Amino acid sequence: MGELKVFMLIGDPVEGSLSPAMMNAAFRALKLNYIYVAVRVPQKLLESAITGARKIGIAGLNVTIPHKIAVMKFLDGLDESASLAGAVNTIKNSRGKLLGFNTDGEGALRNLEERIGRVRGRKVLLLGAGGAARAIAFSLLCAGAELTIANRTLARAEELAALIEKKLGKKLKIISMDPNKLKKAIADAEVLINATSVGMRPKVNETLVTADMMHRNLIVYDIVYKPLRTRLLREAGKAGAMTIDGLGMLVRQGALALEIWTGRRAPIKVMEAAARREIGDVIG
Ligand code: NAP
């Protein structure tokens, strides 16, 4: 057995997180003497948690709601993925220096491209302008997709569009969540991505888009993974559209984090099987 290393997920809440099962299964498959634990860290304890993690030599962290943005000011450096997205979901402890990364956008992009091929030149409508949507927007644009963003709070989408123009020199279309505007944008889109929290447990019957607003050539990707079969995906099924659930993104963002920490290739299949077992939806 090699050196013992400890990895942590911090967030609030963290109960029911799939990451410990997924990461510990990966460490076992790679025969690493590593352990991953989820720790609930309320907002007021974030700074002490980061100071403590640095002092006791926690090897790496994942960061989830509500700390992805707030954590940045306690770190020693940011990778381009984190500075572009303006949020951190992965931290690597490199000889006492804490470096922030963001693997959400790349995780979503890899998952999407594995399923539908290259996004370059394809028209994508992205719902949301929160933490996950921001990371996904940057990754999609860097991969050459043509992006429109719809958000409930228009000012937040406008802020994101201004940031994208400043950082990438790309202009994008912004629309409100008005159903008529959404329907028109969907008619013109090849891919619809939900990166809002609408449809997430406990409000599993909510959706921003219904079957009558979709078409059968549409690809509908919902990053919400609790539940896996969201109302949006059920509506997409009724419209005859292709559907992609949020588990693939979860696994890939975790796999990229593991690769940043260990420099080893992540055992994706092992991680996905562990996450599905945990979510109660065993493969096969
Ligand atoms: P966030 O930063 O809080 O952003 C939430 C987004 O949802 C905002 O755009 C917000 O719009 C929108 N929203 C919330 N309630 C709404 C409503 N009733 N109607 C319309 N829009 C609404 O959250 P996040 O970190 O981006 O996470 C979003 C979702 O993605 C969560 O369900 C999370 O579990 C999931 N996620 C999945 C993965 C994965 O690996 N599959 C990774 C990260 C996140 P406003 O700006 O108007 O408030």
Side-chain angles (χ1 to χ4, degrees), residues 55 83 103 154 160 176 187 252 264 273:
K55 282 192 179 157
S83 56
T103 65
L154 207 55
L160 176 57
S176 72
R252 278 150 193 84
R264 302 270 301 269

PDB file of all heavy atoms in Angstrom, residues 55 83 103 154 160 176 187 252 264 273:
ATOM      1  N   LYS A  55      -3.566  23.030   6.314  1.00  0.00           N
ATOM      2  CA  LYS A  55      -2.665  22.710   7.442  1.00  0.00           C
ATOM      3  C   LYS A  55      -2.518  21.225   7.673  1.00  0.00           C
ATOM      4  O   LYS A  55      -1.430  20.750   7.985  1.00  0.00           O
ATOM      5  CB  LYS A  55      -3.181  23.374   8.725  1.00  0.00           C
ATOM      6  CG  LYS A  55      -2.851  24.854   8.775  1.00  0.00           C
ATOM      7  CD  LYS A  55      -3.104  25.400  10.157  1.00  0.00           C
ATOM      8  CE  LYS A  55      -2.761  26.877  10.207  1.00  0.00           C
ATOM      9  NZ  LYS A  55      -3.450  27.582  11.281  1.00  0.00           N
ATOM     10  N   SER A  83     -10.659  30.381 -13.762  1.00  0.00           N
ATOM     11  CA  SER A  83     -10.738  31.837 -13.895  1.00  0.00           C
ATOM     12  C   SER A  83     -11.722  32.207 -15.003  1.00  0.00           C
ATOM     13  O   SER A  83     -12.439  33.199 -14.887  1.00  0.00           O
ATOM     14  CB  SER A  83      -9.369  32.493 -14.076  1.00  0.00           C
ATOM     15  OG  SER A  83      -8.720  31.938 -15.155  1.00  0.00           O
ATOM     16  N   THR A 103     -13.964  21.676 -13.445  1.00  0.00           N
ATOM     17  CA  THR A 103     -14.100  20.557 -14.387  1.00  0.00           C
ATOM     18  C   THR A 103     -15.554  20.375 -14.846  1.00  0.00           C
ATOM     19  O   THR A 103     -15.830  19.466 -15.620  1.00  0.00           O
ATOM     20  CB  THR A 103     -13.581  19.235 -13.758  1.00  0.00           C
ATOM     21  OG1 THR A 103     -14.417  18.878 -12.654  1.00  0.00           O
ATOM     22  CG2 THR A 103     -12.141  19.359 -13.274  1.00  0.00           C
ATOM     23  N   LEU A 154     -32.758  38.097 -16.328  1.00  0.00           N
ATOM     24  CA  LEU A 154     -32.093  38.494 -17.572  1.00  0.00           C
ATOM     25  C   LEU A 154     -30.759  39.193 -17.304  1.00  0.00           C
ATOM     26  O   LEU A 154     -29.770  38.971 -18.015  1.00  0.00           O
ATOM     27  CB  LEU A 154     -33.033  39.404 -18.368  1.00  0.00           C
ATOM     28  CG  LEU A 154     -32.825  39.395 -19.877  1.00  0.00           C
ATOM     29  CD1 LEU A 154     -32.898  37.991 -20.450  1.00  0.00           C
ATOM     30  CD2 LEU A 154     -33.846  40.294 -20.549  1.00  0.00           C
ATOM     31  N   LEU A 160     -23.216  37.608 -17.900  1.00  0.00           N
ATOM     32  CA  LEU A 160     -22.423  36.491 -18.420  1.00  0.00           C
ATOM     33  C   LEU A 160     -22.009  36.757 -19.866  1.00  0.00           C
ATOM     34  O   LEU A 160     -20.861  36.526 -20.253  1.00  0.00           O
ATOM     35  CB  LEU A 160     -23.235  35.181 -18.302  1.00  0.00           C
ATOM     36  CG  LEU A 160     -22.602  33.930 -18.894  1.00  0.00           C
ATOM     37  CD1 LEU A 160     -21.237  33.641 -18.285  1.00  0.00           C
ATOM     38  CD2 LEU A 160     -23.512  32.711 -18.690  1.00  0.00           C
ATOM     39  N   SER A 176     -35.133  35.826 -22.669  1.00  0.00           N
ATOM     40  CA  SER A 176     -35.756  35.592 -21.361  1.00  0.00           C
ATOM     41  C   SER A 176     -36.383  34.198 -21.381  1.00  0.00           C
ATOM     42  O   SER A 176     -36.343  33.504 -22.383  1.00  0.00           O
ATOM     43  CB  SER A 176     -36.835  36.638 -21.102  1.00  0.00           C
ATOM     44  OG  SER A 176     -37.936  36.368 -21.942  1.00  0.00           O
ATOM     45  N   ALA A 187     -37.042  25.953 -31.732  1.00  0.00           N
ATOM     46  CA  ALA A 187     -37.316  25.559 -33.129  1.00  0.00           C
ATOM     47  C   ALA A 187     -36.052  25.711 -33.970  1.00  0.00           C
ATOM     48  O   ALA A 187     -35.829  24.972 -34.933  1.00  0.00           O
ATOM     49  CB  ALA A 187     -38.445  26.425 -33.686  1.00  0.00           C
ATOM     50  N   ARG A 252     -17.972  12.508 -15.449  1.00  0.00           N
ATOM     51  CA  ARG A 252     -16.820  13.081 -16.161  1.00  0.00           C
ATOM     52  C   ARG A 252     -16.176  14.244 -15.420  1.00  0.00           C
ATOM     53  O   ARG A 252     -14.954  14.390 -15.438  1.00  0.00           O
ATOM     54  CB  ARG A 252     -17.209  13.441 -17.590  1.00  0.00           C
ATOM     55  CG  ARG A 252     -17.127  12.191 -18.449  1.00  0.00           C
ATOM     56  CD  ARG A 252     -18.066  12.128 -19.592  1.00  0.00           C
ATOM     57  NE  ARG A 252     -18.117  10.769 -20.153  1.00  0.00           N
ATOM     58  CZ  ARG A 252     -18.891   9.793 -19.669  1.00  0.00           C
ATOM     59  NH1 ARG A 252     -19.659   9.979 -18.610  1.00  0.00           N
ATOM     60  NH2 ARG A 252     -18.890   8.597 -20.233  1.00  0.00           N
ATOM     61  N   ARG A 264      -3.311  10.108 -13.044  1.00  0.00           N
ATOM     62  CA  ARG A 264      -3.642   8.788 -13.631  1.00  0.00           C
ATOM     63  C   ARG A 264      -4.917   8.916 -14.457  1.00  0.00           C
ATOM     64  O   ARG A 264      -5.732   9.803 -14.222  1.00  0.00           O
ATOM     65  CB  ARG A 264      -3.884   7.769 -12.505  1.00  0.00           C
ATOM     66  CG  ARG A 264      -2.707   7.592 -11.560  1.00  0.00           C
ATOM     67  CD  ARG A 264      -1.774   6.509 -12.021  1.00  0.00           C
ATOM     68  NE  ARG A 264      -2.415   5.209 -12.135  1.00  0.00           N
ATOM     69  CZ  ARG A 264      -2.468   4.312 -11.139  1.00  0.00           C
ATOM     70  NH1 ARG A 264      -1.931   4.587  -9.968  1.00  0.00           N
ATOM     71  NH2 ARG A 264      -3.039   3.133 -11.320  1.00  0.00           N
ATOM     72  N   ALA A 273     -20.536   3.104 -12.767  1.00  0.00           N
ATOM     73  CA  ALA A 273     -21.286   2.003 -12.142  1.00  0.00           C
ATOM     74  C   ALA A 273     -21.504   2.300 -10.661  1.00  0.00           C
ATOM     75  O   ALA A 273     -22.598   2.093 -10.126  1.00  0.00           O
ATOM     76  CB  ALA A 273     -20.528   0.694 -12.323  1.00  0.00           C
TER      77      ALA A 273
END
